[in-house]
Amino acid sequence: MPIECARILSLAERDPDMAVREAERELGAAPTSAWWRFTLGWALLRWERLDGAQAWLEAARAEFAALGMAQPELQAAFGLLLVEFNRSATSELGARFEALAEQFEQLGAGAGAFRARVQAALLHDNHGSAAEALQLLDQIAPAAGGVEPSDHARWLLARGAVAGSLRQFEIAEQHLAAAEQVFAAEQATIEQAKCWFQHAYLLLLRGQLERAREQYGRADAVFRRLDLPIRRALLDRTFGLLFSRTGEYDQALRHMLSALDAFAKLDRTADMATCQTNLGNIYFYAGWWPIADAYYRRADQLLALAGADERRLTAQRNRGLVAQRTGKLGTALAILQGVYERANTLKVASDAAETLANIAEVLGDMGRYDAAIELYERARAQCLELGQDFTAADAAMDQARLMLRHGDYARAAELFAFAEPHVAQYPANAWRLQHGLARCAEAGDDLARALDHYHQAQRTVAQLRGTLALETASSAIFAQAAELHADSLRCAIEVGDIEALLQFSELQRALVLQRAASSRPLAAPEGDARLAQQQQHIIELQHDDELSDEELAEQLDAALARYGELLLQARHRLPEHSADTAITSISFDLARLREQLNGAYHGDWTALSYLRVGDTLRCVMITPDQLVLAELPRGDLPALIDQATIPAKQRRTFRDFEYRYDHTTSVRWEKLVRLAERLIPAEARARLHPQHRLLIAPTEQLHMLPWAALRLGERWLAEQAIVQLTPALTVWQALAARAAPPGARALLVGCHTFGDRAAPLPHVADELAMVASTWQGPCDRLLDDEATCAAVRERSASGGLAQYRLLHIATHAALVPEQAFSAHIRLWDDELWLAEVASLRLGKALVVLSACEGASAGLLQGDETLSLSWALLAAGASAVLAHFWKIDDAATLRFMHSFYMHLAAHGDAARALAEAQRATIDQSANTPAEFDELLIWAGFILTGATPT
């Protein structure tokens, strides 16, 4: 080999980009040189430009063959095998590496044979056959002393990687440290960074997450500086795994999706499968069982294609866990027993031990207590013997929870104590640990310590929920912690700590909106082709007249779930959700809330926060100097709430059918009277007067209740207080703290015709003109063909929307609670869907949504809600005035005129709404129009925080 070629090949180990440029220059001066073709191909291989590397190495190989240069020809062939390894690493490459090694040996080129067999060992390890890889590396170990230091170091690196796969951590660290030392001396920067990468993986396996993050960061800096796409993809995948374990699900998704995209382009089947498994794990931790199962299925299929039988065990075992979580215990047991048998056949002891603990969990769920305990003990012993401390601790926690269910608190406490040091830094496990410790403390009558454990567990769950910018994902995490939440509330009540009760409640309310309202706006999903295609698919299904109701419901559910998955991914692919924008968890501050409310309403206010404890609704009343917990009477309260919130029953309630038509009662509005008496504590009722501020944080169905139409004695609640809602008291605090834009400019958006898409709204232009004439500031108008989605998007992207103090939208809107993802505001050219509404960039505007169903909502566990009103709050609005029901645009115009006339007098939207409602009530009282007008004024609700 020419000396200059050797120099550039050495350069390629630390700066392949520069090596490629120099090789290209030299090749231009010597275009017929096979060695320069080889050098350029090898440099491109080190730079991970595989197409170029293959072309030049093939040319070099052909020329070496023509010249009868057998050993250089084999070197080029080795490079071509490395190209294939970096592309797909299929199992059949192992035989080809071995054949090439034998050819090197025939030529007396022991170093070439050594390199080929090291690579074959890495291939075996990559396919999950670590024992086979170890056997091969041990076979060639005697030859390691006779090769170049860099080749010996590659053997050390491979030996360390295989030892890590076998959980031989000390041996792995020794070999990696020795390899790194050699590569540093040789200035082989890429290989040195690979040592850091492999060491980080060992630290990850051993639970040393911060050190792992540091080592990955060192490797990442090198791989990014040298622009190595395959190494960066591998790092993205491993960062995804790290972040999923630290509970940073947003970061885990972003990195794992990036890795999957890269491996798909490279057609690296086994690596794609690993990404699919890890994505499944993220959705598993989040409680999205069907999506997790779909990823595990795809991973299993890809690994079968790649011939990676040992790595299939993880995907199959995880499918068994999904079946267990979804209550399919027979299926789960069959899957897991099959995995256990295959793990033993393949002699993968770590998988066998972990699966044994999973089988124990299923048996426990089946009520086979003694059999479950026996298997837990065996599994934990095997895991400890293998050095799998975290898996042993996880099994101990599962066993402890089973013992809690059977009342063995002492043994459960011992197992939780054993697990604590091993799982404390894994949030998805840590909250379960704290929950278990709290239960044990309660059993020992140490309620103060129990409450402390509940605080820690609740904060951890809230942090996990807050990482995923989608209500259904946040809700799914809460569903897993619902028992924890109920136990926390019960304990706080038993202790008599109402402030702790409020803190627990606020920690788990409207987490997606809390994050958006505090400092992290939701990312805009526009431009994602798959999301747009799924949206179109949903629209087509909604207009499909050929499907039966059952088929339509099933297909729509599946389509909306897929839309939610794609929306979550679209939001977390964007840099707005990188780590430097993450915020700390929100905690409820009662003193600060009182300070803010006193500042806004001069001490004349009451806040009511509703929460469910077991099967009982409770209400916490907060005043400037009181904190009172009221237990709401059960009796007929659930039925009354149903009749006032379920659309099919509301008509009878709000038209007073029992009094007017059925004559089953002599009391007018009896249901609304009884509902008010049960929902609003007597202490709160005593404080009300027409200028009193009543701030309500509902829960569950109460989000759908027209509160203004509750009947207290002979008067409506709208007449006795200024009512406004907030999704959570913490949300109100965040909204109240937002800085308002300067000036008083308004944007008025309206559409009155829609072609064949919807019925016309003939009064929209008059409504915009009325608003413009009463608003105390300049107005910009987008009417009809100017009121397009494109125009709204452009103003949002440019920052124009953030300059408006008022945004008035008069058009059609729609929300079907069961299909809330497809809720939309209809503009001239298209529909602005819920997700896009939430990603607008408003600037503390008052938003008046003069449209049907703007305040309607799809309700989810954990007080997450899919609602156009909430979406506008997430987009930056300070408050939203919207209507629960369908409403005639002529009636809307009348009511809006009254609202804006009152608003012009003082600028207080909540007060103006109450005054408009009272004026309508006075005008229609005891007239034939009374009942129709009630459906207009009662349906309007103001959500958010408005300045006085």
Side-chain angles (χ1 to χ4, degrees):
M1 179 186 298
I3 293 176
E4 194 60 18
C5 289
R7 182 188 70 80
I8 292 178
L9 289 177
S10 177
L11 176 63
E13 295 301 313
R14 59 183 182 276
D15 193 342
D17 180 13
M18 183 178 290
V20 166
R21 283 187 271 119
E22 291 198 21
E24 287 174 335
R25 184 172 60 251
E26 295 290 346
L27 187 60
T32 60
S33 171
W35 275 113
W36 281 114
R37 286 182 171 81
F38 174 82
T39 301
L40 177 56
W42 194 269
L44 285 165
L45 174 61
R46 299 301 287 159
W47 200 26
E48 300 182 348
R49 269 53 175 184
L50 301 184
D51 290 343
Q54 180 178 354
W56 287 109
L57 288 170
E58 284 177 345
R61 181 182 183 185
E63 191 164 340
F64 285 138
L67 294 171
M69 301 171 70
Q71 189 168 330
E73 180 187 353
L74 290 182
Q75 287 178 302
F78 178 59
L80 288 167
L81 276 182
L82 289 178
V83 169
E84 291 190 56
F85 177 88
N86 279 292
R87 277 197 175 126
S88 58
T90 55
S91 57
E92 57 89 20
L93 285 178
R96 293 168 64 187
F97 277 120
E98 177 57 34
L100 189 65
E102 292 172 0
Q103 289 177 280
F104 273 119
E105 287 176 334
Q106 290 169 8
L107 295 176
F114 184 83
R115 293 188 200 103
R117 289 189 172 117
V118 168
Q119 202 63 40
L122 288 173
L123 180 72
H124 292 314
D125 188 45
N126 192 48
H127 281 265
S129 302
E132 192 174 347
L134 177 61
Q135 183 180 11
L136 179 54
L137 288 171
D138 286 346
Q139 286 175 358
I140 64 174
V147 298
E148 295 291 326
S150 59
D151 287 328
H152 184 201
R154 287 187 174 88
W155 180 89
L156 288 169
L157 173 56
R159 184 66 180 80
V162 171
S165 298
L166 294 169
R167 304 302 195 267
Q168 299 169 348
F169 296 123
E170 284 90 11
I171 294 173
E173 293 210 5
Q174 291 169 8
H175 283 84
L176 291 175
E180 182 188 346
Q181 187 175 4
V182 174
F183 289 134
E186 295 282 314
Q187 294 185 308
T189 308
I190 296 174
E191 297 302 311
Q192 188 179 12
K194 287 181 183 177
C195 291
W196 297 335
F197 176 88
Q198 199 62 47
H199 185 220
Y201 185 63
L202 289 181
L203 294 169
L204 180 60
L205 291 177
R206 301 186 80 172
Q208 299 177 33
L209 303 186
E210 285 307 312
R211 288 186 62 201
R213 192 190 298 247
E214 178 185 343
Q215 288 288 79
Y216 279 134
R218 295 177 71 190
D220 186 49
V222 172
F223 296 154
R224 291 188 184 279
R225 175 171 59 82
L226 299 179
D227 190 20
L228 305 178
I230 296 174
R231 294 295 140 193
R232 288 174 62 183
L234 289 167
L235 257 169
D236 268 331
R237 185 185 72 191
T238 319
F239 268 134
L241 178 60
L242 172 65
F243 286 129
S244 68
R245 293 189 177 181
T246 58
E248 298 165 85
Y249 298 149
D250 49 351
Q251 298 303 306
L253 264 180
R254 186 166 66 86
H255 284 283
M256 203 61 71
L257 291 169
S258 176
L260 182 59
D261 290 344
F263 289 134
K265 290 176 184 175
L266 294 164
D267 196 28
R268 289 174 62 112
T269 304
D271 289 310
M272 289 167 60
T274 302
C275 289
Q276 297 279 2
T277 299
N278 290 341
L279 283 167
N281 292 342
I282 295 168
Y283 288 106
F284 182 89
Y285 295 146
W288 275 15
W289 316 121
I291 297 175
D293 188 61
Y295 277 106
Y296 294 144
R297 286 176 184 271
R298 286 195 287 270
D300 191 30
Q301 292 165 358
L302 288 171
L303 290 167
L305 289 173
D309 290 340
E310 291 185 19
R311 289 171 63 182
R312 293 180 66 190
L313 295 173
T314 299
Q316 292 168 352
R317 182 178 68 246
N318 290 354
R319 285 198 58 224
L321 294 178
V322 169
Q324 182 257 335
R325 294 296 193 276
T326 52
K328 301 172 184 175
L329 300 181
T331 300
L333 187 60
I335 292 173
L336 292 170
Q337 287 175 335
V339 171
Y340 180 68
E341 291 171 6
R342 286 189 290 277
N344 283 319
T345 300
L346 294 169
K347 298 181 180 179
V348 188
S350 58
D351 279 286
E354 189 168 352
T355 306
L356 197 63
N358 300 145
I359 292 171
E361 186 175 5
V362 175
L363 293 176
D365 289 347
M366 287 179 159
R368 296 166 61 180
Y369 179 76
D370 293 337
I373 296 299
E374 179 187 352
L375 288 190
Y376 274 130
E377 297 286 351
R378 281 175 52 196
R380 190 166 71 260
Q382 290 175 18
C383 289
L384 290 172
E385 185 178 345
L386 293 167
Q388 294 176 275
D389 293 346
F390 171 77
T391 307
D394 198 39
M397 279 177 40
D398 288 339
Q399 181 180 348
R401 287 198 297 271
L402 177 61
M403 288 180 154
L404 281 181
R405 296 204 300 267
H406 285 260
D408 190 346
Y409 295 102
R411 178 59 177 149
E414 292 174 3
L415 289 168
F416 283 128
F418 162 78
E420 187 168 10
H422 303 294
V423 304
Q425 60 183 328
Y426 297 91
N429 306 85
W431 74 259
R432 292 177 168 87
L433 171 77
Q434 293 297 331
H435 185 194
L437 291 171
R439 291 284 310 281
C440 292
E442 281 190 279
D445 290 327
D446 191 344
L447 297 186
R449 188 159 64 93
L451 210 56
D452 182 60
H453 286 305
Y454 281 131
H455 273 293
Q456 293 183 58
Q458 288 268 27
R459 282 194 293 269
T460 301
V461 172
Q463 288 169 356
L464 291 173
R465 292 180 65 188
T467 62
L468 293 178
L470 193 72
E471 291 82 355
T472 46
S474 170
S475 176
I477 295 175
F478 175 83
Q480 298 178 74
E483 184 179 353
L484 160 70
H485 190 59
D487 287 344
S488 303
L489 299 178
R490 174 188 46 72
C491 183
I493 291 172
E494 189 172 346
V495 172
D497 191 336
I498 303 176
E499 188 167 349
L501 182 71
L502 265 177
Q503 288 173 340
F504 290 147
S505 176
E506 287 293 314
L507 273 171
Q508 304 301 339
R509 281 184 187 265
L511 268 293
V512 174
L513 182 53
Q514 281 199 35
R515 293 310 189 262
S518 297
S519 66
R520 189 168 58 185
L522 297 176
E526 60 186 273
D528 188 292
R530 294 186 306 164
L531 195 61
Q533 291 170 1
Q534 191 66 17
Q535 186 171 309
Q536 184 58 39
H537 175 52
I538 292 168
I539 293 171
E540 290 170 0
L541 281 175
Q542 289 171 333
H543 292 86
D544 192 324
D545 296 328
E546 297 182 4
L547 293 172
S548 68
D549 290 345
E550 184 176 337
E551 291 172 330
L552 180 60
E554 182 179 347
Q555 292 189 32
L556 265 176
D557 285 347
L560 288 163
R562 175 61 175 161
Y563 176 83
E565 177 194 354
L566 293 173
L567 176 58
L568 183 68
Q569 293 182 4
R571 283 177 172 169
H572 288 298
R573 285 180 188 271
L574 300 175
E576 287 174 80
H577 288 275
S578 61
D580 60 0
T581 63
I583 63 173
T584 56
S585 62
I586 295 174
S587 59
F588 177 70
D589 185 338
L590 180 59
R592 176 60 180 153
L593 174 68
R594 281 177 163 146
E595 180 183 338
Q596 287 178 287
L597 285 167
N598 284 331
Y601 307 130
H602 311 294
D604 192 7
W605 57 268
T606 301
L608 301 178
S609 180
Y610 291 86
L611 58 151
R612 180 172 295 282
V613 184
D615 58 356
T616 303
L617 271 177
R618 307 267 181 154
C619 177
V620 177
M621 184 186 80
I622 309 165
T623 72
D625 54 8
Q626 287 182 291
L627 188 62
V628 178
L629 175 63
E631 178 178 337
L632 305 183
R634 279 181 279 184
D636 60 352
L637 181 57
L640 289 170
I641 292 173
D642 283 350
Q643 288 160 4
T645 59
I646 295 176
K649 299 180 179 181
Q650 283 177 320
R651 181 177 176 81
R652 290 184 60 87
T653 299
F654 291 99
R655 285 191 171 275
D656 203 10
F657 263 57
E658 284 75 6
Y659 176 81
R660 295 174 64 201
Y661 303 115
D662 297 344
H663 305 298
T664 55
T665 178
S666 60
V667 179
R668 297 192 70 198
W669 308 107
E670 182 184 17
K671 288 181 181 176
L672 298 177
V673 170
R674 285 158 51 202
L675 190 55
E677 289 173 350
R678 286 154 178 75
L679 279 180
I680 302 178
E683 297 92 335
R685 295 199 299 269
R687 294 176 54 80
L688 301 182
H689 62 82
Q691 299 307 312
H692 188 75
R693 300 286 173 154
L694 183 60
L695 179 65
I696 299 172
T699 189
E700 300 175 349
Q701 285 175 261
L702 298 182
H703 287 291
M704 297 290 290
L705 179 65
W707 288 85
L710 293 185
R711 189 82 171 168
L712 290 171
E714 296 299 317
R715 304 187 72 81
W716 303 105
L717 182 58
E719 299 176 276
Q720 301 184 56
I722 298 173
V723 179
Q724 61 192 83
L725 301 190
T726 181
L729 296 175
T730 318
V731 169
W732 187 92
Q733 291 183 271
L735 296 177
R738 283 178 171 168
R745 182 171 291 276
L747 177 63
L748 316 180
V749 180
C751 296
H752 90 281
T753 61
F754 306 88
D756 59 359
R757 292 161 55 222
L761 298 172
H763 298 281
V764 162
D766 294 338
E767 184 173 325
L768 296 195
M770 177 274 297
V771 177
S773 69
T774 54
W775 176 252
Q776 303 295 298
C779 296
D780 297 331
R781 259 185 266 195
L782 298 176
L783 179 61
D784 290 337
D785 60 353
E786 294 180 326
T788 64
C789 292
V792 173
R793 291 180 189 125
E794 187 280 326
R795 290 191 185 226
S796 177
S798 68
L801 279 184
Q803 306 307 311
Y804 293 108
R805 186 68 69 92
L806 169 71
L807 173 60
H808 183 99
I809 304 171
T811 184
H812 280 299
L815 185 145
V816 177
E818 296 77 17
Q819 303 168 24
F821 268 137
S822 64
H824 58 265
I825 296 172
R826 181 162 288 151
L827 296 180
W828 178 263
D829 57 337
D830 206 349
E831 281 75 46
L832 207 61
W833 275 39
L834 183 75
E836 199 167 359
V837 171
S839 68
L840 296 175
R841 295 295 177 256
L842 305 178
K844 203 182 177 183
L846 166 65
V847 178
V848 177
L849 184 52
S850 181
C852 299
E853 300 174 341
S856 185
L859 306 177
L860 304 169
Q861 280 187 282
D863 276 317
E864 294 289 6
T865 292
L866 296 169
S867 158
L868 289 169
S869 290
W870 284 34
L872 288 161
L873 292 174
S878 62
V880 180
L881 175 60
H883 204 280
F884 280 116
W885 306 312
K886 294 184 183 297
I887 183 171
D888 174 72
D889 74 321
T892 303
L893 173 59
R894 293 195 305 273
F895 188 85
M896 284 295 161
H897 181 262
S898 179
F899 168 75
Y900 276 103
M901 290 297 291
H902 288 101
L903 185 65
H906 45 67
D908 182 338
R911 179 179 163 189
L913 172 60
E915 290 167 343
Q917 289 173 322
R918 293 166 189 173
T920 306
I921 292 167
D922 289 343
Q923 291 164 8
S924 62
N926 301 315
T927 72
E930 178 180 14
F931 300 95
D932 291 332
E933 292 294 328
L934 181 142
L935 295 177
I936 297 166
W937 66 259
F940 278 108
I941 194 72
L942 190 91
T943 305
T946 60
T948 58

